[in-house]
Amino acid sequence: MTGFAYTILIPLIPLIVFLVTGLLGMKWKPIVSGLLGTIGMGTTFTLSLLTAGKYFFGGHHADGFQTIIPFETTWLRFTDTLHINMGILLDPISVMMLVVITTISFMVHLYSLGYMKGEKGFARFYAFLSLFTFSMLGLVIATNIFQMYIFWELVGVSSFLLIGFYYTKPSAVAASKKAFIVTRFADLGFLIGILILSFVTGTFDFGKLTEPGTAIFGSAASMSFMGISAMTWAMTLIFIGGAGKSAMFPLHIWLPDAMEGPTPVSALIHAATMVVAGVFLVARMFPVIHFQAPAAQEIIGYVGGFTSLFAAVIAITQFDIKRVLAFSTLSQLGYMMLALGVSGYGGEEGLGYMASMFHLFTHAMFKALLFLGAGSIIHAVHSNYMYDMGGLRKYMPVTHITFLIACLTIAGVPPLSGFFSKDEILVAALHHNKLLFAVEFIVAGLTAFYMFRLYFNVFWGKDRHYHHTPHESPLTMSIPLMFLAVASVFSGFLPFHHLVTSDKMGFDTEMHMAVAVPSVLIGLLGIAMAWILYKKESSIPAKLANKFGILYTATYNKFYFDEIYLFVTRRIIFNYISRPIAWFDRHIIDGFMVGIGLVTEKISYQIKGMQSGQLQHYAFMFVAGTLALALSLLYFLM
């Protein structure tokens, strides 16, 4: 397949929009920046759909999908094989990600025309959106792991700017710093992993790294540290980078606080861009992980499974609707990581890989819909909290129906998309790890429960004393909701098992009723429990909370992980590591340097007379020096 040279425009258009909007946005009316950003992203979205159609359906793929590099140039060269290139790589997962990123970003751009109307910094907001989209597009089309790392860091900077958009609000500033610092620690692991990998293989290139059976790993078997192979170290460290971006336990603490950004930002971060970057990284490196570091793959599976359950339990007790959705995102990302952790390679053995990418795609649609629906609700009632809401179905019919579709989708109700992708993950887990299957089966029920707890609290129950009558959002906000609702319904019918697989070869799959039926039943059980407890105002939830006592309190407070991190950093690291180092630096290092300065100054003061400018002093010093040299020479000669 040829003719993909135009794909260079896909990342360039958002970059140009960022530069133009960022530099000139203050000189024209705010709406111009919004329209420019939306039109630019609409063009990028169209090009991505064209690329996907041409790549997946534009030719014969009996031998699997090709890897196409329509553009590449060498940026830095270290050796003949070790160099950093900048280019565009098109293969099934990168093309799929182009569609995901541009779809959600375009919907967010359009939605924000209504949601952010009248906000101070409107042009700045659209500039940051374009920068974020450019960064994520550059990440997924990277031809090598170092190019990915560069754009990985740009994504981090962009998210810092967007989370802290309300920079006059202390909580937003704190949240942006928290996200930036936590992910920096993870990214240090990613960088060290890249360096180990390049040292072992002599290349950064994905084409060489991800080719099964490639000879570049020949020397890896003999290299180890502390009894663990070099490749296991490299892949585990690279996964730590992915765990930071995808907020896997215990690096999850930044994600709920990222809700301080505008709601459209939450949709962009939690649905299609920043948080799925870690899943994409593991998928991109999957052949290396599976064949060269199976221990790392096992770690990925268990971390994903634990994060999924941990976050789902916390989501049950939250009242801020955006935080419920944030913990839901954590749980669903855990699903995706678990699927990669239990996957084999090639054919039906690679079911977990396919299921992970399938769920990434469907999750992007319904989670963006949930966040944008939450934004519509907040826009109407001016509160994030469930206890300020109720009966909104009568005032917001479009938001109500689309939000219900998203809730049914994430709960795994057939024939909506979430049912198909989740079912494939459960089947993959059942075949490879019964414990992880049991965990995800429980999570399926918890997910249905906490999502319908949210739904019933917001749209049913009794009306609250609203300051003004809630109303439906404008068309600029409603159209994205309707589009994403349609995508949430029908994206499950895409033949992912023929499009995005671990070996780029399609395979046949079928419905496993032994898994599908119980998973639907446990989802319906979760919905039924939420119906009983929350459809009408009741004292039962409060009684249950009191009954569970300490457990409920711990869950509501997110198991005190923020407090634990603060205790470790402030009480231990600051007091017993940072303070002694600061004292040593101030008194020993600085004292030594100050001492050198004082000694030099004192000696200079004592000998300054030698530079008096008087000729007789210089003559005396010359004669005295000559005599001293003569006497020394005479002494040695005798």
Side-chain angles (χ1 to χ4, degrees):
M1 290 185 290
T2 58
F4 286 92
Y6 67 88
T7 52
I8 188 68
L9 294 173
I10 293 175
L12 280 184
I13 290 173
L15 175 61
I16 293 168
V17 171
F18 161 67
L19 293 173
V20 172
T21 308
L23 294 173
L24 304 176
M26 297 298 291
K27 297 183 179 180
W28 52 46
K29 291 183 179 180
I31 190 62
V32 176
S33 296
L35 291 174
L36 180 62
T38 304
I39 292 168
M41 188 45 56
T43 305
T44 306
F45 169 61
T46 304
L47 291 174
S48 297
L49 289 181
L50 176 65
T51 302
K54 192 174 180 180
Y55 182 83
F56 286 121
F57 308 108
H60 185 62
H61 304 293
D63 298 325
F65 289 100
Q66 300 175 30
T67 296
I68 301 170
I69 301 180
F71 170 79
E72 188 171 34
T73 183
T74 300
W75 180 42
L76 293 174
R77 181 175 293 278
F78 303 107
T79 67
D80 290 339
T81 57
L82 190 62
H83 46 84
I84 300 175
N85 292 355
M86 288 291 175
I88 296 174
L89 184 153
L90 300 179
D91 69 350
I93 58 170
S94 64
V95 174
M96 182 265 301
M97 287 298 296
L98 288 180
V99 174
V100 169
I101 294 164
T102 56
T103 300
I104 306 306
S105 188
F106 179 44
M107 291 300 107
V108 167
H109 274 74
L110 181 60
Y111 180 93
S112 298
L113 290 174
Y115 189 87
M116 298 297 290
K117 185 178 180 180
E119 285 277 5
K120 184 180 179 181
F122 187 86
R124 175 168 55 91
F125 177 79
Y126 270 89
F128 290 166
L129 283 186
S130 296
L131 176 62
F132 194 105
T133 307
F134 161 70
S135 304
M136 194 65 198
L137 290 170
L139 188 156
V140 300
I141 59 175
T143 60
N144 61 85
I145 196 168
F146 217 99
Q147 180 187 343
M148 178 186 276
Y149 182 76
I150 293 168
F151 283 96
W152 188 274
E153 295 304 314
L154 266 177
V155 168
V157 172
S158 307
S159 66
F160 170 80
L161 295 172
L162 284 168
I163 295 167
F165 176 76
Y166 297 119
Y167 58 85
T168 58
K169 189 178 176 184
S171 58
V173 174
S176 63
K177 290 192 294 185
K178 186 176 185 180
F180 192 77
I181 292 169
V182 171
T183 53
R184 290 295 71 70
F185 278 102
D187 292 352
L188 175 62
F190 186 12
L191 178 59
I192 296 171
I194 291 173
L195 297 177
I196 296 172
L197 181 66
S198 62
F199 177 77
V200 172
T201 64
T203 184
F204 296 121
D205 186 71
F206 283 135
K208 296 176 181 176
L209 288 171
T210 59
E211 185 67 32
T214 182
I216 61 174
F217 297 103
S219 61
S222 61
M223 301 174 66
S224 65
F225 176 68
M226 296 176 63
I228 301 172
S229 72
M231 288 309 302
T232 299
W233 279 112
M235 290 301 101
T236 302
L237 287 165
I238 288 173
F239 168 63
I240 288 173
K245 276 287 191 288
S246 290
M248 293 290 102
F249 179 88
L251 300 171
H252 64 283
I253 58 169
W254 68 267
L255 193 63
D257 289 357
M259 298 297 97
E260 292 292 341
T263 301
V265 169
S266 301
L268 197 62
I269 289 176
H270 291 78
T273 54
M274 184 173 180
V275 294
V276 297
V279 178
F280 175 81
L281 171 63
V282 175
R284 172 61 76 203
M285 299 302 295
F286 182 76
V288 184
I289 294 170
H290 180 69
F291 290 109
Q292 306 297 329
Q297 185 179 4
E298 193 169 350
I299 291 170
I300 292 167
Y302 280 104
V303 169
F306 181 81
T307 302
S308 185
L309 179 60
F310 175 80
V313 170
I314 294 175
I316 292 171
T317 61
Q318 302 302 301
F319 288 94
D320 183 328
I321 62 174
K322 288 174 68 177
R323 286 184 182 269
V324 173
L325 297 179
F327 282 106
S328 169
T329 299
L330 286 174
S331 185
Q332 298 301 306
L333 290 169
Y335 258 109
M336 300 173 206
M337 284 292 191
L338 177 145
L340 291 169
V342 300
S343 181
Y345 184 87
E348 291 188 18
E349 283 296 308
L351 178 63
Y353 178 97
M354 185 279 293
S356 178
M357 296 299 97
F358 193 9
H359 200 58
L360 186 156
F361 188 89
T362 61
H363 174 263
M365 304 305 159
F366 62 72
K367 186 53 62 69
L369 175 56
L370 286 167
F371 269 107
L372 296 184
S376 183
I377 295 163
I378 294 166
H379 188 261
V381 302
H382 305 289
S383 174
N384 287 27
Y385 293 96
M386 287 186 231
Y387 43 70
D388 293 328
M389 303 170 188
L392 289 178
R393 71 189 187 284
K394 295 178 289 187
Y395 307 105
M396 308 177 71
V398 174
T399 302
H400 170 231
I401 295 300
T402 54
F403 201 90
L404 175 60
I405 289 171
C407 289
L408 291 168
T409 306
I410 194 173
V413 174
L416 305 178
S417 61
F419 162 73
F420 294 105
S421 56
K422 185 187 72 174
D423 184 66
E424 300 287 17
I425 292 175
L426 290 172
V427 171
L430 180 63
H431 288 169
H432 290 85
N433 191 311
K434 300 293 192 296
L435 174 61
L436 292 179
F437 167 78
V439 167
E440 293 313 306
F441 185 74
I442 294 168
V443 171
L446 294 176
T447 302
F449 175 75
Y450 67 67
M451 286 309 308
F452 275 86
R453 169 180 175 265
L454 171 57
Y455 167 75
F456 287 126
N457 270 306
V458 171
F459 293 103
W460 293 79
K462 70 175 185 178
D463 289 3
R464 304 298 175 181
H465 297 292
Y466 299 116
H467 295 294
H468 59 272
T469 303
H471 57 84
E472 188 56 84
S473 298
L475 276 178
T476 52
M477 296 170 66
S478 298
I479 290 173
L481 295 180
M482 291 184 280
F483 177 91
L484 290 168
V486 172
S488 297
V489 172
F490 293 106
S491 59
F493 295 101
L494 288 171
F496 251 70
H497 53 285
H498 290 306
L499 302 177
V500 183
T501 59
S502 57
D503 60 353
K504 302 183 180 67
M505 297 283 291
F507 62 91
D508 293 325
T509 185
E510 60 183 18
M511 182 74 66
H512 291 73
M513 300 306 292
V515 173
V517 172
S519 71
V520 171
L521 289 176
I522 196 170
L524 293 175
L525 177 62
I527 295 172
M529 289 178 64
W531 174 292
I532 294 167
L533 294 174
Y534 300 105
K535 185 175 181 290
K536 294 181 179 179
E537 194 168 31
S538 166
S539 61
I540 299 175
K543 290 178 181 177
L544 288 173
N546 290 330
K547 185 175 182 180
F548 283 101
I550 295 174
L551 179 60
Y552 175 85
T553 304
T555 306
Y556 177 76
N557 288 288
K558 298 163 284 186
F559 294 101
Y560 300 100
F561 269 90
D562 286 301
E563 290 78 5
I564 291 169
Y565 272 96
L566 284 174
F567 175 81
V568 170
T569 52
R570 290 180 177 177
R571 296 291 183 87
I572 298 176
I573 296 176
F574 287 179
N575 284 340
Y576 298 106
I577 298 176
S578 299
R579 288 184 190 279
I581 290 174
W583 183 91
F584 184 82
D585 178 67
R586 189 181 306 111
H587 293 88
I588 306 301
I589 304 298
D590 288 355
F592 179 70
M593 299 309 295
V594 169
I596 291 174
L598 290 173
V599 170
T600 303
E601 184 180 3
K602 192 171 185 64
I603 293 173
S604 299
Y605 182 81
Q606 294 296 326
I607 65 173
K608 67 179 182 179
M610 296 171 64
Q611 298 290 331
S612 65
Q614 296 182 16
L615 184 60
Q616 60 268 33
H617 287 172
Y618 296 158
F620 173 75
M621 296 299 295
F622 174 76
V623 172
T626 303
L627 286 173
L629 288 172
L631 290 172
S632 299
L633 182 63
L634 182 63
Y635 174 80
F636 284 110
L637 289 175
M638 293 177 63

